[in-house]
Amino acid sequence: MVSTKENVKLRVDRLRITYGNHVALDDATLDVVENEIFGIIGPANSGKTSFLRAINRMDPLTPGMQVSGELEFNGKDVSQWKNLYALRSRIGVVFPLPVGLPMSIYENVAFAAKLRGVKDKDDLDEVVERCLTRAALWDEVKDRLDSLGSLLSGGQQQRLTIARALSQEPELLLLDEFSIAVDPVTTMRIEDVLKELKKEMTIVLVTNLVQQARRLADRTAFFLEGEVVEVGRTKKLFAGETKDHRTTDYIEGRFG
């Protein structure tokens, strides 16, 4: 996928993220373009999650986190967004472990729509069904939408979290190792959903499963110890056409 000024969803230039004296990510430069799944792989403590936090402006909520450099979403640096709710309403986030709101399955999904001003019950019903269906959960919960979301299994709660993120109607969806709490069969169902979703939005997928990046990502970035080692077409990276031997070593399981 060729990057042009018109289709860049995220532009990152010399991004640096620190926590006190600890450097989580340094001199990161890359582009994420519209309607692609952009994979990020790398071992623990490589700066992957910190990168997602910076995109969604979680630094004001994270003690000691400092961000510098340029990080543009739709051509505007995220640091210039005065209304963080407006920014986050356009960026959906799914973290490794499901975090449900203390309310019913229905209300978990309808919450964002209500914040947008949707009041009609039929409209809310449509949002809930659509988002739960896209998250591969509707058939399992359609007869108990009034039940607490917290009573669902771990895998179901993760899919509920995805449905809630989709209910924001985001332009950008950030997924941070979403499959940690999900069984392999459900993981594959969600992967099929993500392939469809990229027609409507851009997806950044942080994954600790190298083969998941291979299955899903159009392009993949390899992070290592706070460095963006390289970014390339996923097919080429997995075919051994890398610029840095560390990328090949990681993909082939020689470390990490």
Side-chain angles (χ1 to χ4, degrees):
M1 187 170 293
V2 178
S3 171
T4 66
K5 184 176 181 180
E6 290 74 23
N7 72 351
V8 171
K9 180 62 67 172
L10 279 176
R11 189 181 73 84
V12 181
D13 187 34
R14 301 186 305 278
L15 182 69
R16 179 180 172 89
I17 304 172
T18 60
Y19 301 88
N21 294 324
H22 172 68
V23 179
L25 192 63
D26 192 27
D27 200 30
T29 297
L30 56 88
D31 287 341
V32 178
V33 303
E34 291 182 347
N35 301 110
E36 76 169 334
I37 298 180
F38 185 88
I40 301 177
I41 59 174
N45 302 313
S46 294
K48 306 184 301 295
T49 296
S50 292
F51 178 60
L52 298 189
R53 288 176 177 166
I55 295 171
N56 204 38
R57 283 302 314 279
M58 294 183 68
D59 46 302
L61 304 174
T62 306
M65 184 177 179
Q66 296 291 324
V67 179
S68 60
E70 298 180 22
L71 203 172
E72 293 182 354
F73 171 63
N74 284 345
K76 180 178 179 181
D77 198 290
V78 296
S79 65
Q80 301 302 312
W81 287 72
K82 303 301 182 184
N83 185 338
L84 291 186
Y85 171 74
L87 172 66
R88 292 172 182 151
S89 69
R90 300 168 73 176
I91 301 175
V93 185
V94 177
F95 292 110
L97 297 176
V99 181
L101 299 175
M103 53 184 64
S104 70
I105 296 168
Y106 184 98
E107 290 298 330
N108 260 274
V109 184
F111 185 72
K114 289 181 176 180
L115 288 178
R116 291 200 310 274
V118 179
K119 297 179 180 179
D120 183 82
K121 180 66 163 56
D122 289 341
D123 291 340
L124 289 170
D125 289 349
E126 192 276 330
V127 169
V128 170
E129 180 174 353
R130 182 180 73 250
C131 293
L132 287 172
T133 298
R134 293 163 90 193
L137 186 58
W138 173 253
D139 288 340
E140 297 172 39
V141 302
K142 61 184 178 182
D143 296 323
R144 49 179 173 139
L145 295 176
D146 292 333
S147 300
L148 285 173
S150 58
L151 298 180
L152 296 173
S153 69
Q156 288 173 326
Q157 287 189 51
Q158 186 66 304
R159 283 179 282 159
L160 180 61
T161 302
I162 292 172
R164 193 171 71 237
L166 295 177
S167 71
Q168 299 174 211
E169 299 183 355
E171 298 176 42
L172 177 65
L173 181 63
L174 310 178
L175 298 168
D176 189 1
E177 298 185 3
F178 76 88
S179 54
I180 283 180
V182 182
D183 65 85
V185 173
T186 302
T187 294
M188 296 305 292
R189 290 174 65 188
I190 296 174
E191 288 185 6
D192 288 340
V193 170
L194 296 178
K195 292 173 186 176
E196 291 298 314
L197 287 176
K198 80 168 188 173
K199 298 173 184 177
E200 307 168 30
M201 64 187 68
T202 303
I203 299 171
V204 176
L205 171 71
V206 166
T207 178
N208 62 338
L209 304 175
V210 170
Q211 293 305 316
Q212 186 172 72
R214 184 176 192 172
R215 290 191 297 268
L216 290 177
D218 298 289
R219 293 186 301 138
T220 297
F222 174 49
F223 284 28
L224 180 65
E225 297 179 344
E227 175 190 357
V228 179
V229 175
E230 69 177 291
V231 179
R233 299 288 302 178
T234 302
K235 288 182 179 179
K236 289 189 175 182
L237 294 183
F238 280 84
E241 298 178 37
T242 60
K243 298 176 182 178
D244 192 302
H245 72 89
R246 293 174 295 173
T247 307
T248 301
D249 288 347
Y250 181 76
I251 287 175
E252 295 183 354
R254 286 194 278 273
F255 74 94

